[in-house]
Amino acid sequence: METPPEPRTDWADWQNDLIVADYFDMFGRVKAGERVNRLERNRELQSLTGRNKGSIERKRMNISAVLIDLDMDWMRGFAPNDRYQGSLVDAVERFLDRNPLWADDSDKTVDPNAAPELIEGAPPSRGFEPKPVKPLLERIARKHDHAARDSRNRSLGVLGEQIVFNHERRRLTEAGCPKLAEKVEWTARDKGDGVGYDILSFHPDGSPKKIEVKATNGPRTTPFFLTRTEREVSLEEPDAWRLYRLHDLGSAPGLFVLPPPLEATVALRPETWRASF
């Protein structure tokens, strides 16, 4: 017997808080390798909220859409439905305020020496304009700015550089160029940050490859910052300079490479001002 359609009534704050907390609890258990019974949890939420099965599933999909719009990881199996209301966004914000580690994934990293071999993938497709932050999400986005957090997190940057350093040495060794592999230089560590690239590597023919590493624990579409020096070197040495974007470092590290001009693949816009007297 089919469940009759549920009357169209807005979810109360306490109902949104319950399903948001349940979503994150399930997600945390799945990430930890546990098995969860989604149908059983749906039935429990039905009894607690008075909502039917379909309504709860749609709300879970709405939560996925909110997390995607915030450049946060989301629970596979609940395909995003971006027709969500402001009251759900408020509930997600309340949860993140109470559980800040969910939005701060800076400690979720991998051992650079034990990291799986990086397999290069295609970069995300660029839209004609940067994806605007939905007005409903602006407040949360300011609190949990992934690009700004990644930029401040020096340990994450060092981790990314070390992974790429190991990756380049292994790549050249496997290509039959062990002497070139020995010459790979961790420039940011040995000569200081600020020269416009982090790793000096080589192509198998011996030509240089100057690699700027941008690392995040977020998904592949997470924005990143670029310094003026990095941009200048990319324009001055387009044949040698490459940007290596590492993503999902806390779970399944991935890589894509961006050659100059960067405007062909990303939208660049100024974000800071320099003040002088």
Side-chain angles (χ1 to χ4, degrees), residues 243-265:
L243 189 146
Y244 276 36
R245 180 53 161 163
L246 302 185
H247 55 88
D248 295 291
L249 282 190
S251 51
L255 162 72
F256 59 84
V257 179
L258 301 180
L262 292 176
E263 289 87 345
T265 47

Short mmCIF file of all heavy atoms in Angstrom, two decimals, residues 243-265:
data_model
loop_
_atom_site.label_atom_id
_atom_site.label_comp_id
_atom_site.label_asym_id
_atom_site.label_seq_id
_atom_site.Cartn_x
_atom_site.Cartn_y
_atom_site.Cartn_z
N LEU A 243 50.76 24.48 -12.76
CA LEU A 243 50.09 24.45 -11.46
C LEU A 243 49.54 23.05 -11.24
O LEU A 243 48.77 22.54 -12.06
CB LEU A 243 48.96 25.48 -11.42
CG LEU A 243 48.33 25.71 -10.03
CD1 LEU A 243 47.90 27.16 -9.87
CD2 LEU A 243 47.13 24.79 -9.77
N TYR A 244 49.97 22.42 -10.15
CA TYR A 244 49.48 21.10 -9.77
C TYR A 244 48.42 21.30 -8.68
O TYR A 244 48.73 21.77 -7.58
CB TYR A 244 50.61 20.23 -9.22
CG TYR A 244 51.43 19.51 -10.26
CD1 TYR A 244 51.72 20.09 -11.49
CD2 TYR A 244 51.94 18.23 -10.01
CE1 TYR A 244 52.49 19.43 -12.43
CE2 TYR A 244 52.71 17.56 -10.96
CZ TYR A 244 52.98 18.17 -12.17
OH TYR A 244 53.73 17.51 -13.12
N ARG A 245 47.20 20.96 -8.99
CA ARG A 245 46.12 21.08 -8.02
C ARG A 245 45.85 19.72 -7.39
O ARG A 245 45.37 18.79 -8.05
CB ARG A 245 44.85 21.60 -8.70
CG ARG A 245 43.63 21.77 -7.77
CD ARG A 245 43.97 22.61 -6.57
NE ARG A 245 42.77 23.14 -5.91
CZ ARG A 245 42.75 23.62 -4.69
NH1 ARG A 245 43.87 23.60 -3.95
NH2 ARG A 245 41.66 24.12 -4.16
N LEU A 246 46.18 19.58 -6.10
CA LEU A 246 45.90 18.36 -5.35
C LEU A 246 44.59 18.57 -4.60
O LEU A 246 44.39 19.60 -3.96
CB LEU A 246 47.01 18.06 -4.35
CG LEU A 246 48.43 17.89 -4.90
CD1 LEU A 246 49.37 17.48 -3.78
CD2 LEU A 246 48.46 16.86 -6.01
N HIS A 247 43.72 17.59 -4.64
CA HIS A 247 42.42 17.71 -3.98
C HIS A 247 42.08 16.42 -3.25
O HIS A 247 42.72 15.38 -3.46
CB HIS A 247 41.34 18.05 -5.01
CG HIS A 247 41.26 17.09 -6.15
ND1 HIS A 247 40.49 15.95 -6.12
CD2 HIS A 247 41.87 17.09 -7.37
CE1 HIS A 247 40.62 15.30 -7.26
NE2 HIS A 247 41.47 15.95 -8.05
N ASP A 248 41.12 16.52 -2.34
CA ASP A 248 40.67 15.36 -1.55
C ASP A 248 41.83 14.69 -0.81
O ASP A 248 41.89 13.46 -0.71
CB ASP A 248 39.97 14.34 -2.45
CG ASP A 248 38.68 14.88 -3.06
OD1 ASP A 248 37.72 15.07 -2.30
OD2 ASP A 248 38.66 15.15 -4.27
N LEU A 249 42.75 15.49 -0.26
CA LEU A 249 43.92 14.90 0.39
C LEU A 249 43.57 14.10 1.63
O LEU A 249 44.33 13.23 2.03
CB LEU A 249 44.93 16.00 0.76
CG LEU A 249 45.79 16.55 -0.37
CD1 LEU A 249 46.89 17.43 0.19
CD2 LEU A 249 46.41 15.44 -1.19
N GLY A 250 42.44 14.42 2.26
CA GLY A 250 42.07 13.69 3.46
C GLY A 250 41.43 12.36 3.21
O GLY A 250 41.18 11.60 4.14
N SER A 251 41.15 12.05 1.94
CA SER A 251 40.45 10.79 1.65
C SER A 251 41.11 10.05 0.49
O SER A 251 41.80 9.05 0.70
CB SER A 251 38.97 11.08 1.33
OG SER A 251 38.85 12.09 0.34
N ALA A 252 40.90 10.52 -0.73
CA ALA A 252 41.47 9.85 -1.92
C ALA A 252 42.16 10.91 -2.76
O ALA A 252 41.55 11.53 -3.63
CB ALA A 252 40.37 9.16 -2.71
N PRO A 253 43.46 11.16 -2.52
CA PRO A 253 44.16 12.25 -3.20
C PRO A 253 44.08 12.15 -4.72
O PRO A 253 44.27 11.09 -5.30
CB PRO A 253 45.61 12.08 -2.72
CG PRO A 253 45.50 11.38 -1.41
CD PRO A 253 44.34 10.45 -1.57
N GLY A 254 43.76 13.28 -5.33
CA GLY A 254 43.69 13.36 -6.78
C GLY A 254 44.50 14.55 -7.26
O GLY A 254 44.90 15.42 -6.48
N LEU A 255 44.75 14.60 -8.57
CA LEU A 255 45.61 15.63 -9.15
C LEU A 255 45.09 16.02 -10.53
O LEU A 255 44.66 15.17 -11.30
CB LEU A 255 47.04 15.10 -9.29
CG LEU A 255 47.98 15.83 -10.26
CD1 LEU A 255 48.40 17.18 -9.67
CD2 LEU A 255 49.21 14.98 -10.57
N PHE A 256 45.10 17.32 -10.81
CA PHE A 256 45.02 17.78 -12.18
C PHE A 256 46.01 18.92 -12.38
O PHE A 256 46.43 19.57 -11.41
CB PHE A 256 43.60 18.17 -12.61
CG PHE A 256 42.96 19.28 -11.82
CD1 PHE A 256 43.20 20.61 -12.12
CD2 PHE A 256 42.07 18.98 -10.78
CE1 PHE A 256 42.58 21.63 -11.41
CE2 PHE A 256 41.45 19.99 -10.06
CZ PHE A 256 41.71 21.33 -10.38
N VAL A 257 46.43 19.13 -13.61
CA VAL A 257 47.49 20.09 -13.93
C VAL A 257 46.92 21.20 -14.80
O VAL A 257 46.19 20.94 -15.76
CB VAL A 257 48.65 19.39 -14.67
CG1 VAL A 257 49.74 20.39 -15.03
CG2 VAL A 257 49.22 18.26 -13.81
N LEU A 258 47.28 22.45 -14.45
CA LEU A 258 46.84 23.61 -15.21
C LEU A 258 48.06 24.30 -15.82
O LEU A 258 48.93 24.76 -15.09
CB LEU A 258 46.09 24.60 -14.32
CG LEU A 258 44.84 24.09 -13.61
CD1 LEU A 258 44.22 25.21 -12.77
CD2 LEU A 258 43.83 23.54 -14.60
N PRO A 259 48.12 24.41 -17.13
CA PRO A 259 49.21 25.15 -17.77
C PRO A 259 48.79 26.61 -17.98
O PRO A 259 47.59 26.92 -17.99
CB PRO A 259 49.35 24.44 -19.12
CG PRO A 259 47.95 24.00 -19.44
CD PRO A 259 47.30 23.67 -18.12
N PRO A 260 49.75 27.52 -18.16
CA PRO A 260 49.40 28.88 -18.54
C PRO A 260 48.86 28.92 -19.97
O PRO A 260 49.21 28.04 -20.77
CB PRO A 260 50.73 29.63 -18.43
CG PRO A 260 51.64 28.73 -17.64
CD PRO A 260 51.18 27.34 -17.94
N PRO A 261 48.02 29.91 -20.29
CA PRO A 261 47.49 30.94 -19.39
C PRO A 261 46.36 30.37 -18.54
O PRO A 261 45.49 29.66 -19.06
CB PRO A 261 46.99 32.01 -20.35
CG PRO A 261 46.59 31.24 -21.57
CD PRO A 261 47.58 30.12 -21.69
N LEU A 262 46.38 30.69 -17.26
CA LEU A 262 45.39 30.13 -16.35
C LEU A 262 43.97 30.58 -16.68
O LEU A 262 43.01 29.88 -16.37
CB LEU A 262 45.74 30.52 -14.91
CG LEU A 262 47.02 29.90 -14.35
CD1 LEU A 262 47.30 30.43 -12.97
CD2 LEU A 262 46.92 28.38 -14.34
N GLU A 263 43.86 31.74 -17.31
CA GLU A 263 42.52 32.24 -17.65
C GLU A 263 41.76 31.30 -18.58
O GLU A 263 40.55 31.40 -18.71
CB GLU A 263 42.63 33.61 -18.32
CG GLU A 263 43.03 34.73 -17.38
CD GLU A 263 44.54 34.87 -17.27
OE1 GLU A 263 45.27 33.94 -17.68
OE2 GLU A 263 44.98 35.91 -16.78
N ALA A 264 42.48 30.39 -19.22
CA ALA A 264 41.81 29.43 -20.11
C ALA A 264 41.02 28.39 -19.33
O ALA A 264 40.12 27.75 -19.88
CB ALA A 264 42.83 28.74 -21.01
N THR A 265 41.38 28.19 -18.05
CA THR A 265 40.74 27.12 -17.28
C THR A 265 40.10 27.59 -15.98
O THR A 265 39.25 26.89 -15.43
CB THR A 265 41.76 26.01 -16.94
OG1 THR A 265 42.96 26.61 -16.45
CG2 THR A 265 42.08 25.18 -18.17
#
